[in-house]
Amino acid sequence: MRSLFVAGTGTDIGKTHVACALIRAVRGRGLSIDAFKPVVSGFDPADPEASDPGRLAQALGEPDALPRISPRRYRAPLAPNLAARLEGDTLQLADLVDDCRDRLGCPDRDLLLIEGAGGVMSPLTDDATNLDLMVALNLPILLVAGSYLGTVSHVLTALEVIRARGLAVSAVVMSESLAAPDLVQTGQMLRSFEASAPLILVPRAQAWNASELADLILAPQS
């Protein structure tokens, strides 16, 4: 059983798009996979299918699994701690860590994806960021970025802080942004500065085949 933390260089850069494609690729191989997003904000109860956990549930083929995938859901499209406060809740890092560890402790799948909320350094609570959750869980990181102008700086900065905290990076996935520079050219520029982590480029296509990413994630561990 393996687990992976899906982190992003920012918000709305394709974490869930990549996670859903990976889920479909793993399921296509006859393997079991699940997803867990400990907290989500900007959640519309009137349209749950459009939310990140709703999309993950659809990719898993379990449309009713949304409450299991994301137990803490808040309406306001704000940082989770601010969105929670508007609904009378106070998020604590220890609670989010416990939620994740409870899910990690269930030996019921070949691969579990834990997806963060926002970017690596985005606040989750009043005194903790996604990075703090990542360090507490100590899982390999799948870092997802966009291809917009400036993304190379964001990726390199994210990699710097992730590695400074002793975390391993399984791969960097660059998801094509709208109205962005050429995806391949941007990937080549990133590769000039980052040679160790595998880099996978993701065209903006709903049916992107994540077979290459699945090969990388599921490869035997040395």
Side-chain angles (χ1 to χ4, degrees):
M1 294 173 290
R2 299 188 187 184
S3 301
L4 193 67
F5 194 102
V6 182
T9 57
T11 301
D12 293 331
I13 43 77
K15 289 192 305 296
T16 304
H17 176 61
V18 170
C20 288
L22 180 56
I23 287 169
R24 290 190 292 267
V26 172
R27 290 183 64 211
R29 298 174 185 214
L31 299 174
S32 59
I33 183 169
D34 203 358
F36 188 68
K37 190 176 178 81
V39 61
V40 62
S41 54
F43 179 82
D44 183 359
D47 189 18
E49 293 82 6
S51 68
D52 289 350
R55 292 166 60 197
L56 293 168
Q58 292 292 330
L60 289 165
E62 302 179 52
D64 296 329
L66 191 154
R68 182 192 79 225
I69 293 170
S70 197
R72 300 175 189 268
R73 306 180 299 278
Y74 302 102
R75 298 189 183 202
L78 302 169
N81 58 323
L82 300 181
R85 188 174 299 137
L86 290 176
E87 298 185 30
D89 287 348
T90 300
L91 289 178
Q92 301 288 345
L93 178 62
D95 294 332
L96 298 177
V97 172
D98 286 345
D99 290 347
C100 291
R101 287 180 175 162
D102 286 345
R103 188 65 194 92
L104 287 164
C106 298
D108 57 354
R109 80 286 163 186
D110 296 304
L111 178 65
L112 174 66
L113 304 180
I114 295 183
E115 183 180 314
V120 169
M121 297 298 292
S122 294
L124 284 179
T125 74
D126 291 342
D127 57 5
T129 66
N130 272 281
L131 182 60
D132 294 310
L133 177 61
M134 292 155 61
V135 170
L137 299 178
N138 195 29
L139 299 177
I141 306 301
L142 178 64
L143 181 64
V144 181
S147 65
Y148 52 84
L149 185 64
T151 192
V152 171
S153 174
H154 295 168
V155 173
L156 295 176
T157 301
L159 289 172
E160 188 79 15
V161 297
I162 288 170
R163 288 168 174 159
R165 300 291 290 273
L167 298 173
V169 178
S170 294
V172 175
V173 178
M174 182 175 287
S175 181
E176 186 175 21
S177 303
L178 291 174
D182 180 78
L183 175 63
V184 173
Q185 184 181 57
T186 304
Q188 290 172 340
M189 182 164 58
L190 174 61
R191 178 53 70 217
S192 298
F193 296 91
E194 168 53 40
S196 58
L199 174 63
I200 293 177
L201 304 182
V202 180
R204 181 166 285 275
Q206 184 64 32
W208 171 64
N209 187 330
S211 180
E212 180 185 3
L213 179 59
D215 286 342
L216 179 64
I217 299 303
L218 298 172
Q221 297 172 317
S222 57

mmCIF file of all heavy atoms in Angstrom, residues 81-132:
data_model
loop_
_atom_site.group_PDB
_atom_site.id
_atom_site.type_symbol
_atom_site.label_atom_id
_atom_site.label_comp_id
_atom_site.label_asym_id
_atom_site.label_seq_id
_atom_site.Cartn_x
_atom_site.Cartn_y
_atom_site.Cartn_z
ATOM 1 N N ASN A 81 -9.028 28.236 6.927
ATOM 2 C CA ASN A 81 -9.226 28.735 8.293
ATOM 3 C C ASN A 81 -10.236 29.880 8.340
ATOM 4 O O ASN A 81 -11.055 29.957 9.261
ATOM 5 C CB ASN A 81 -7.890 29.166 8.908
ATOM 6 C CG ASN A 81 -7.173 30.236 8.101
ATOM 7 O OD1 ASN A 81 -7.199 30.230 6.873
ATOM 8 N ND2 ASN A 81 -6.513 31.163 8.783
ATOM 9 N N LEU A 82 -10.202 30.745 7.308
ATOM 10 C CA LEU A 82 -11.159 31.854 7.262
ATOM 11 C C LEU A 82 -12.556 31.355 6.924
ATOM 12 O O LEU A 82 -13.548 31.818 7.508
ATOM 13 C CB LEU A 82 -10.704 32.891 6.236
ATOM 14 C CG LEU A 82 -9.328 33.526 6.477
ATOM 15 C CD1 LEU A 82 -9.034 34.550 5.383
ATOM 16 C CD2 LEU A 82 -9.268 34.164 7.861
ATOM 17 N N ALA A 83 -12.643 30.422 5.983
ATOM 18 C CA ALA A 83 -13.949 29.865 5.618
ATOM 19 C C ALA A 83 -14.573 29.128 6.793
ATOM 20 O O ALA A 83 -15.791 29.218 7.027
ATOM 21 C CB ALA A 83 -13.788 28.928 4.419
ATOM 22 N N ALA A 84 -13.763 28.403 7.541
ATOM 23 C CA ALA A 84 -14.270 27.675 8.706
ATOM 24 C C ALA A 84 -14.783 28.641 9.768
ATOM 25 O O ALA A 84 -15.838 28.417 10.381
ATOM 26 C CB ALA A 84 -13.171 26.790 9.277
ATOM 27 N N ARG A 85 -14.056 29.730 9.975
ATOM 28 C CA ARG A 85 -14.451 30.688 11.009
ATOM 29 C C ARG A 85 -15.812 31.292 10.711
ATOM 30 O O ARG A 85 -16.604 31.554 11.632
ATOM 31 C CB ARG A 85 -13.388 31.789 11.119
ATOM 32 C CG ARG A 85 -13.609 32.728 12.294
ATOM 33 C CD ARG A 85 -12.445 33.704 12.432
ATOM 34 N NE ARG A 85 -11.218 32.954 12.676
ATOM 35 C CZ ARG A 85 -10.056 33.228 12.094
ATOM 36 N NH1 ARG A 85 -9.953 34.228 11.234
ATOM 37 N NH2 ARG A 85 -8.990 32.516 12.387
ATOM 38 N N LEU A 86 -16.119 31.509 9.434
ATOM 39 C CA LEU A 86 -17.423 32.055 9.063
ATOM 40 C C LEU A 86 -18.558 31.115 9.420
ATOM 41 O O LEU A 86 -19.712 31.536 9.538
ATOM 42 C CB LEU A 86 -17.454 32.356 7.557
ATOM 43 C CG LEU A 86 -16.586 33.523 7.078
ATOM 44 C CD1 LEU A 86 -16.646 33.641 5.564
ATOM 45 C CD2 LEU A 86 -17.034 34.833 7.727
ATOM 46 N N GLU A 87 -18.241 29.825 9.578
ATOM 47 C CA GLU A 87 -19.264 28.845 9.942
ATOM 48 C C GLU A 87 -19.137 28.405 11.398
ATOM 49 O O GLU A 87 -19.691 27.380 11.801
ATOM 50 C CB GLU A 87 -19.181 27.640 8.994
ATOM 51 C CG GLU A 87 -19.443 28.031 7.549
ATOM 52 C CD GLU A 87 -19.493 26.844 6.594
ATOM 53 O OE1 GLU A 87 -19.882 25.740 7.031
ATOM 54 O OE2 GLU A 87 -19.151 27.025 5.411
ATOM 55 N N GLY A 88 -18.367 29.172 12.173
ATOM 56 C CA GLY A 88 -18.263 28.897 13.602
ATOM 57 C C GLY A 88 -17.277 27.827 13.978
ATOM 58 O O GLY A 88 -17.289 27.350 15.123
ATOM 59 N N ASP A 89 -16.416 27.420 13.064
ATOM 60 C CA ASP A 89 -15.412 26.391 13.337
ATOM 61 C C ASP A 89 -14.025 27.009 13.430
ATOM 62 O O ASP A 89 -13.752 28.055 12.834
ATOM 63 C CB ASP A 89 -15.401 25.327 12.234
ATOM 64 C CG ASP A 89 -16.612 24.417 12.296
ATOM 65 O OD1 ASP A 89 -17.339 24.463 13.306
ATOM 66 O OD2 ASP A 89 -16.826 23.668 11.330
ATOM 67 N N THR A 90 -13.157 26.331 14.139
ATOM 68 C CA THR A 90 -11.750 26.702 14.205
ATOM 69 C C THR A 90 -10.924 25.489 13.810
ATOM 70 O O THR A 90 -10.984 24.453 14.480
ATOM 71 C CB THR A 90 -11.345 27.164 15.620
ATOM 72 O OG1 THR A 90 -12.135 28.297 15.997
ATOM 73 C CG2 THR A 90 -9.871 27.541 15.651
ATOM 74 N N LEU A 91 -10.193 25.601 12.720
ATOM 75 C CA LEU A 91 -9.369 24.490 12.260
ATOM 76 C C LEU A 91 -8.075 24.433 13.054
ATOM 77 O O LEU A 91 -7.433 25.453 13.301
ATOM 78 C CB LEU A 91 -9.045 24.644 10.774
ATOM 79 C CG LEU A 91 -10.198 24.439 9.787
ATOM 80 C CD1 LEU A 91 -9.715 24.681 8.358
ATOM 81 C CD2 LEU A 91 -10.783 23.028 9.911
ATOM 82 N N GLN A 92 -7.700 23.205 13.434
ATOM 83 C CA GLN A 92 -6.452 22.956 14.130
ATOM 84 C C GLN A 92 -5.635 21.947 13.337
ATOM 85 O O GLN A 92 -6.173 20.956 12.846
ATOM 86 C CB GLN A 92 -6.711 22.407 15.539
ATOM 87 C CG GLN A 92 -7.535 23.318 16.432
ATOM 88 C CD GLN A 92 -6.762 24.545 16.893
ATOM 89 O OE1 GLN A 92 -5.541 24.601 16.776
ATOM 90 N NE2 GLN A 92 -7.470 25.541 17.414
ATOM 91 N N LEU A 93 -4.334 22.188 13.223
ATOM 92 C CA LEU A 93 -3.480 21.271 12.473
ATOM 93 C C LEU A 93 -3.558 19.856 13.036
ATOM 94 O O LEU A 93 -3.623 18.886 12.271
ATOM 95 C CB LEU A 93 -2.031 21.764 12.500
ATOM 96 C CG LEU A 93 -1.013 20.867 11.780
ATOM 97 C CD1 LEU A 93 -1.334 20.750 10.300
ATOM 98 C CD2 LEU A 93 0.401 21.387 11.986
ATOM 99 N N ALA A 94 -3.561 19.720 14.340
ATOM 100 C CA ALA A 94 -3.596 18.381 14.950
ATOM 101 C C ALA A 94 -4.817 17.596 14.496
ATOM 102 O O ALA A 94 -4.733 16.374 14.277
ATOM 103 C CB ALA A 94 -3.563 18.492 16.472
ATOM 104 N N ASP A 95 -5.951 18.272 14.344
ATOM 105 C CA ASP A 95 -7.169 17.585 13.907
ATOM 106 C C ASP A 95 -7.043 17.122 12.459
ATOM 107 O O ASP A 95 -7.460 16.012 12.104
ATOM 108 C CB ASP A 95 -8.380 18.509 14.045
ATOM 109 C CG ASP A 95 -8.685 18.849 15.487
ATOM 110 O OD1 ASP A 95 -8.362 18.037 16.382
ATOM 111 O OD2 ASP A 95 -9.238 19.946 15.729
ATOM 112 N N LEU A 96 -6.469 17.970 11.599
ATOM 113 C CA LEU A 96 -6.285 17.598 10.199
ATOM 114 C C LEU A 96 -5.296 16.439 10.080
ATOM 115 O O LEU A 96 -5.494 15.518 9.275
ATOM 116 C CB LEU A 96 -5.799 18.805 9.394
ATOM 117 C CG LEU A 96 -6.749 20.013 9.350
ATOM 118 C CD1 LEU A 96 -6.098 21.159 8.578
ATOM 119 C CD2 LEU A 96 -8.079 19.634 8.718
ATOM 120 N N VAL A 97 -4.240 16.480 10.868
ATOM 121 C CA VAL A 97 -3.265 15.377 10.869
ATOM 122 C C VAL A 97 -3.936 14.091 11.320
ATOM 123 O O VAL A 97 -3.744 13.028 10.719
ATOM 124 C CB VAL A 97 -2.064 15.724 11.770
ATOM 125 C CG1 VAL A 97 -1.150 14.504 11.938
ATOM 126 C CG2 VAL A 97 -1.279 16.887 11.187
ATOM 127 N N ASP A 98 -4.733 14.161 12.385
ATOM 128 C CA ASP A 98 -5.424 12.958 12.875
ATOM 129 C C ASP A 98 -6.371 12.402 11.819
ATOM 130 O O ASP A 98 -6.456 11.175 11.626
ATOM 131 C CB ASP A 98 -6.210 13.279 14.150
ATOM 132 C CG ASP A 98 -5.315 13.460 15.364
ATOM 133 O OD1 ASP A 98 -4.131 13.059 15.298
ATOM 134 O OD2 ASP A 98 -5.799 14.006 16.378
ATOM 135 N N ASP A 99 -7.094 13.285 11.119
ATOM 136 C CA ASP A 99 -7.999 12.831 10.054
ATOM 137 C C ASP A 99 -7.221 12.075 8.984
ATOM 138 O O ASP A 99 -7.646 11.005 8.522
ATOM 139 C CB ASP A 99 -8.713 14.028 9.416
ATOM 140 C CG ASP A 99 -9.738 14.670 10.329
ATOM 141 O OD1 ASP A 99 -10.081 14.070 11.365
ATOM 142 O OD2 ASP A 99 -10.191 15.784 10.003
ATOM 143 N N CYS A 100 -6.096 12.627 8.582
ATOM 144 C CA CYS A 100 -5.286 11.992 7.536
ATOM 145 C C CYS A 100 -4.709 10.668 8.018
ATOM 146 O O CYS A 100 -4.710 9.661 7.282
ATOM 147 C CB CYS A 100 -4.157 12.915 7.106
ATOM 148 S SG CYS A 100 -4.696 14.392 6.212
ATOM 149 N N ARG A 101 -4.221 10.646 9.245
ATOM 150 C CA ARG A 101 -3.637 9.402 9.772
ATOM 151 C C ARG A 101 -4.669 8.312 9.934
ATOM 152 O O ARG A 101 -4.376 7.127 9.729
ATOM 153 C CB ARG A 101 -2.924 9.692 11.084
ATOM 154 C CG ARG A 101 -1.609 10.450 10.882
ATOM 155 C CD ARG A 101 -0.910 10.743 12.187
ATOM 156 N NE ARG A 101 0.393 11.371 11.945
ATOM 157 C CZ ARG A 101 1.070 12.048 12.852
ATOM 158 N NH1 ARG A 101 0.575 12.183 14.090
ATOM 159 N NH2 ARG A 101 2.237 12.590 12.551
ATOM 160 N N ASP A 102 -5.884 8.693 10.297
ATOM 161 C CA ASP A 102 -6.960 7.695 10.374
ATOM 162 C C ASP A 102 -7.183 7.068 9.005
ATOM 163 O O ASP A 102 -7.358 5.846 8.888
ATOM 164 C CB ASP A 102 -8.251 8.335 10.873
ATOM 165 C CG ASP A 102 -8.228 8.647 12.362
ATOM 166 O OD1 ASP A 102 -7.343 8.114 13.069
ATOM 167 O OD2 ASP A 102 -9.085 9.420 12.820
ATOM 168 N N ARG A 103 -7.180 7.904 7.974
ATOM 169 C CA ARG A 103 -7.394 7.370 6.622
ATOM 170 C C ARG A 103 -6.190 6.557 6.164
ATOM 171 O O ARG A 103 -6.338 5.511 5.524
ATOM 172 C CB ARG A 103 -7.646 8.530 5.641
ATOM 173 C CG ARG A 103 -8.070 8.046 4.255
ATOM 174 C CD ARG A 103 -9.421 7.354 4.327
ATOM 175 N NE ARG A 103 -9.719 6.590 3.122
ATOM 176 C CZ ARG A 103 -9.438 5.309 2.950
ATOM 177 N NH1 ARG A 103 -8.810 4.636 3.893
ATOM 178 N NH2 ARG A 103 -9.775 4.694 1.842
ATOM 179 N N LEU A 104 -4.990 7.023 6.489
ATOM 180 C CA LEU A 104 -3.782 6.288 6.118
ATOM 181 C C LEU A 104 -3.724 4.928 6.801
ATOM 182 O O LEU A 104 -3.127 3.984 6.275
ATOM 183 C CB LEU A 104 -2.540 7.103 6.501
ATOM 184 C CG LEU A 104 -2.249 8.331 5.632
ATOM 185 C CD1 LEU A 104 -1.250 9.255 6.331
ATOM 186 C CD2 LEU A 104 -1.716 7.915 4.270
ATOM 187 N N GLY A 105 -4.348 4.825 7.964
ATOM 188 C CA GLY A 105 -4.309 3.572 8.716
ATOM 189 C C GLY A 105 -5.259 2.507 8.209
ATOM 190 O O GLY A 105 -5.249 1.385 8.730
ATOM 191 N N CYS A 106 -6.063 2.826 7.201
ATOM 192 C CA CYS A 106 -7.010 1.837 6.647
ATOM 193 C C CYS A 106 -6.334 1.099 5.487
ATOM 194 O O CYS A 106 -6.111 1.698 4.424
ATOM 195 C CB CYS A 106 -8.280 2.526 6.163
ATOM 196 S SG CYS A 106 -9.193 3.377 7.458
ATOM 197 N N PRO A 107 -6.013 -0.182 5.643
ATOM 198 C CA PRO A 107 -5.295 -0.939 4.595
ATOM 199 C C PRO A 107 -6.253 -1.482 3.535
ATOM 200 O O PRO A 107 -6.360 -2.692 3.332
ATOM 201 C CB PRO A 107 -4.640 -2.065 5.399
ATOM 202 C CG PRO A 107 -5.606 -2.327 6.508
ATOM 203 C CD PRO A 107 -6.234 -0.991 6.852
ATOM 204 N N ASP A 108 -6.928 -0.568 2.844
ATOM 205 C CA ASP A 108 -7.994 -1.007 1.941
ATOM 206 C C ASP A 108 -7.776 -0.557 0.500
ATOM 207 O O ASP A 108 -8.709 -0.519 -0.284
ATOM 208 C CB ASP A 108 -9.339 -0.464 2.434
ATOM 209 C CG ASP A 108 -9.352 1.066 2.570
ATOM 210 O OD1 ASP A 108 -8.288 1.682 2.388
ATOM 211 O OD2 ASP A 108 -10.425 1.618 2.856
ATOM 212 N N ARG A 109 -6.524 -0.257 0.128
ATOM 213 C CA ARG A 109 -6.301 0.203 -1.238
ATOM 214 C C ARG A 109 -4.826 0.011 -1.588
ATOM 215 O O ARG A 109 -3.974 -0.145 -0.703
ATOM 216 C CB ARG A 109 -6.701 1.659 -1.420
ATOM 217 C CG ARG A 109 -5.667 2.666 -0.915
ATOM 218 C CD ARG A 109 -5.607 2.782 0.591
ATOM 219 N NE ARG A 109 -4.370 3.418 1.029
ATOM 220 C CZ ARG A 109 -4.003 3.536 2.293
ATOM 221 N NH1 ARG A 109 -4.779 3.093 3.252
ATOM 222 N NH2 ARG A 109 -2.864 4.095 2.600
ATOM 223 N N ASP A 110 -4.540 0.025 -2.880
ATOM 224 C CA ASP A 110 -3.152 -0.049 -3.329
ATOM 225 C C ASP A 110 -2.474 1.313 -3.278
ATOM 226 O O ASP A 110 -1.261 1.386 -3.105
ATOM 227 C CB ASP A 110 -3.097 -0.589 -4.771
ATOM 228 C CG ASP A 110 -3.604 -2.025 -4.859
ATOM 229 O OD1 ASP A 110 -3.062 -2.882 -4.142
ATOM 230 O OD2 ASP A 110 -4.554 -2.278 -5.630
ATOM 231 N N LEU A 111 -3.262 2.382 -3.454
ATOM 232 C CA LEU A 111 -2.712 3.733 -3.448
ATOM 233 C C LEU A 111 -3.730 4.694 -2.859
ATOM 234 O O LEU A 111 -4.916 4.625 -3.181
ATOM 235 C CB LEU A 111 -2.349 4.168 -4.878
ATOM 236 C CG LEU A 111 -1.801 5.582 -5.066
ATOM 237 C CD1 LEU A 111 -0.450 5.746 -4.367
ATOM 238 C CD2 LEU A 111 -1.672 5.914 -6.558
ATOM 239 N N LEU A 112 -3.259 5.575 -1.986
ATOM 240 C CA LEU A 112 -4.097 6.636 -1.434
ATOM 241 C C LEU A 112 -3.487 7.980 -1.788
ATOM 242 O O LEU A 112 -2.294 8.208 -1.572
ATOM 243 C CB LEU A 112 -4.202 6.513 0.095
ATOM 244 C CG LEU A 112 -4.942 7.660 0.805
ATOM 245 C CD1 LEU A 112 -6.417 7.672 0.422
ATOM 246 C CD2 LEU A 112 -4.782 7.549 2.323
ATOM 247 N N LEU A 113 -4.309 8.860 -2.345
ATOM 248 C CA LEU A 113 -3.892 10.233 -2.633
ATOM 249 C C LEU A 113 -4.481 11.155 -1.573
ATOM 250 O O LEU A 113 -5.686 11.132 -1.318
ATOM 251 C CB LEU A 113 -4.393 10.674 -4.012
ATOM 252 C CG LEU A 113 -4.009 9.811 -5.212
ATOM 253 C CD1 LEU A 113 -4.607 10.409 -6.490
ATOM 254 C CD2 LEU A 113 -2.499 9.677 -5.332
ATOM 255 N N ILE A 114 -3.628 11.954 -0.949
ATOM 256 C CA ILE A 114 -4.096 13.003 -0.043
ATOM 257 C C ILE A 114 -3.830 14.340 -0.728
ATOM 258 O O ILE A 114 -2.690 14.651 -1.070
ATOM 259 C CB ILE A 114 -3.392 12.932 1.317
ATOM 260 C CG1 ILE A 114 -3.767 11.628 2.023
ATOM 261 C CG2 ILE A 114 -3.779 14.139 2.174
ATOM 262 C CD1 ILE A 114 -3.178 11.489 3.418
ATOM 263 N N GLU A 115 -4.879 15.080 -0.965
ATOM 264 C CA GLU A 115 -4.753 16.326 -1.713
ATOM 265 C C GLU A 115 -4.834 17.525 -0.782
ATOM 266 O O GLU A 115 -5.753 17.633 0.046
ATOM 267 C CB GLU A 115 -5.843 16.428 -2.780
ATOM 268 C CG GLU A 115 -5.733 17.666 -3.648
ATOM 269 C CD GLU A 115 -6.822 17.750 -4.705
ATOM 270 O OE1 GLU A 115 -7.082 16.733 -5.366
ATOM 271 O OE2 GLU A 115 -7.396 18.841 -4.864
ATOM 272 N N GLY A 116 -3.884 18.436 -0.926
ATOM 273 C CA GLY A 116 -3.883 19.652 -0.133
ATOM 274 C C GLY A 116 -4.907 20.657 -0.622
ATOM 275 O O GLY A 116 -5.624 20.439 -1.596
ATOM 276 N N ALA A 117 -4.958 21.787 0.077
ATOM 277 C CA ALA A 117 -5.893 22.864 -0.272
ATOM 278 C C ALA A 117 -5.088 24.122 -0.563
ATOM 279 O O ALA A 117 -4.516 24.723 0.340
ATOM 280 C CB ALA A 117 -6.876 23.111 0.869
ATOM 281 N N GLY A 118 -4.988 24.494 -1.836
ATOM 282 C CA GLY A 118 -4.185 25.648 -2.209
ATOM 283 C C GLY A 118 -2.738 25.265 -2.427
ATOM 284 O O GLY A 118 -2.406 24.111 -2.703
ATOM 285 N N GLY A 119 -1.854 26.238 -2.277
ATOM 286 C CA GLY A 119 -0.441 26.020 -2.535
ATOM 287 C C GLY A 119 0.314 25.476 -1.339
ATOM 288 O O GLY A 119 -0.229 25.360 -0.231
ATOM 289 N N VAL A 120 1.567 25.146 -1.570
ATOM 290 C CA VAL A 120 2.415 24.568 -0.526
ATOM 291 C C VAL A 120 2.415 25.427 0.733
ATOM 292 O O VAL A 120 2.321 24.911 1.847
ATOM 293 C CB VAL A 120 3.856 24.385 -1.056
ATOM 294 C CG1 VAL A 120 4.822 24.050 0.076
ATOM 295 C CG2 VAL A 120 3.896 23.293 -2.118
ATOM 296 N N MET A 121 2.511 26.732 0.571
ATOM 297 C CA MET A 121 2.590 27.628 1.724
ATOM 298 C C MET A 121 1.269 28.326 2.023
ATOM 299 O O MET A 121 1.226 29.287 2.798
ATOM 300 C CB MET A 121 3.687 28.672 1.502
ATOM 301 C CG MET A 121 5.087 28.089 1.386
ATOM 302 S SD MET A 121 5.620 27.217 2.880
ATOM 303 C CE MET A 121 5.777 28.574 4.029
ATOM 304 N N SER A 122 0.173 27.831 1.447
ATOM 305 C CA SER A 122 -1.137 28.419 1.739
ATOM 306 C C SER A 122 -1.565 28.069 3.168
ATOM 307 O O SER A 122 -1.367 26.938 3.621
ATOM 308 C CB SER A 122 -2.187 27.888 0.758
ATOM 309 O OG SER A 122 -1.923 28.310 -0.554
ATOM 310 N N PRO A 123 -2.168 29.022 3.884
ATOM 311 C CA PRO A 123 -2.624 28.736 5.248
ATOM 312 C C PRO A 123 -3.746 27.700 5.253
ATOM 313 O O PRO A 123 -4.658 27.736 4.422
ATOM 314 C CB PRO A 123 -3.139 30.086 5.747
ATOM 315 C CG PRO A 123 -2.479 31.103 4.873
ATOM 316 C CD PRO A 123 -2.337 30.444 3.541
ATOM 317 N N LEU A 124 -3.670 26.764 6.210
ATOM 318 C CA LEU A 124 -4.764 25.829 6.476
ATOM 319 C C LEU A 124 -5.476 26.208 7.768
ATOM 320 O O LEU A 124 -6.697 26.128 7.868
ATOM 321 C CB LEU A 124 -4.227 24.399 6.603
ATOM 322 C CG LEU A 124 -3.843 23.658 5.333
ATOM 323 C CD1 LEU A 124 -3.320 22.266 5.682
ATOM 324 C CD2 LEU A 124 -5.016 23.549 4.366
ATOM 325 N N THR A 125 -4.693 26.581 8.755
ATOM 326 C CA THR A 125 -5.220 27.018 10.049
ATOM 327 C C THR A 125 -4.642 28.390 10.343
ATOM 328 O O THR A 125 -3.905 28.964 9.538
ATOM 329 C CB THR A 125 -4.835 26.027 11.168
ATOM 330 O OG1 THR A 125 -3.448 26.178 11.471
ATOM 331 C CG2 THR A 125 -5.109 24.582 10.741
ATOM 332 N N ASP A 126 -4.935 28.906 11.524
ATOM 333 C CA ASP A 126 -4.426 30.233 11.871
ATOM 334 C C ASP A 126 -2.912 30.238 12.056
ATOM 335 O O ASP A 126 -2.281 31.301 12.013
ATOM 336 C CB ASP A 126 -5.097 30.738 13.151
ATOM 337 C CG ASP A 126 -6.575 31.064 12.943
ATOM 338 O OD1 ASP A 126 -6.986 31.222 11.768
ATOM 339 O OD2 ASP A 126 -7.313 31.147 13.941
ATOM 340 N N ASP A 127 -2.322 29.068 12.264
ATOM 341 C CA ASP A 127 -0.877 29.032 12.506
ATOM 342 C C ASP A 127 -0.167 27.897 11.781
ATOM 343 O O ASP A 127 0.948 27.526 12.145
ATOM 344 C CB ASP A 127 -0.591 28.937 14.015
ATOM 345 C CG ASP A 127 -1.250 27.730 14.668
ATOM 346 O OD1 ASP A 127 -1.864 26.906 13.940
ATOM 347 O OD2 ASP A 127 -1.153 27.604 15.901
ATOM 348 N N ALA A 128 -0.784 27.333 10.741
ATOM 349 C CA ALA A 128 -0.161 26.232 10.003
ATOM 350 C C ALA A 128 -0.525 26.304 8.523
ATOM 351 O O ALA A 128 -1.630 26.709 8.160
ATOM 352 C CB ALA A 128 -0.593 24.879 10.574
ATOM 353 N N THR A 129 0.430 25.909 7.698
ATOM 354 C CA THR A 129 0.241 25.889 6.251
ATOM 355 C C THR A 129 0.124 24.458 5.748
ATOM 356 O O THR A 129 0.297 23.491 6.503
ATOM 357 C CB THR A 129 1.443 26.549 5.547
ATOM 358 O OG1 THR A 129 2.611 25.728 5.777
ATOM 359 C CG2 THR A 129 1.694 27.959 6.069
ATOM 360 N N ASN A 130 -0.125 24.316 4.446
ATOM 361 C CA ASN A 130 -0.106 23.000 3.837
ATOM 362 C C ASN A 130 1.225 22.300 4.092
ATOM 363 O O ASN A 130 1.266 21.090 4.315
ATOM 364 C CB ASN A 130 -0.332 23.113 2.322
ATOM 365 C CG ASN A 130 -1.785 23.096 1.932
ATOM 366 O OD1 ASN A 130 -2.426 22.064 1.875
ATOM 367 N ND2 ASN A 130 -2.315 24.278 1.656
ATOM 368 N N LEU A 131 2.312 23.054 4.050
ATOM 369 C CA LEU A 131 3.624 22.456 4.268
ATOM 370 C C LEU A 131 3.721 21.824 5.651
ATOM 371 O O LEU A 131 4.318 20.750 5.809
ATOM 372 C CB LEU A 131 4.719 23.506 4.081
ATOM 373 C CG LEU A 131 6.156 23.003 4.222
ATOM 374 C CD1 LEU A 131 6.464 21.923 3.184
ATOM 375 C CD2 LEU A 131 7.151 24.148 4.083
ATOM 376 N N ASP A 132 3.132 22.452 6.648
ATOM 377 C CA ASP A 132 3.151 21.876 7.987
ATOM 378 C C ASP A 132 2.408 20.543 8.025
ATOM 379 O O ASP A 132 2.843 19.598 8.703
ATOM 380 C CB ASP A 132 2.536 22.853 8.992
ATOM 381 C CG ASP A 132 3.375 24.108 9.157
ATOM 382 O OD1 ASP A 132 4.592 23.988 9.373
ATOM 383 O OD2 ASP A 132 2.808 25.210 9.043
#
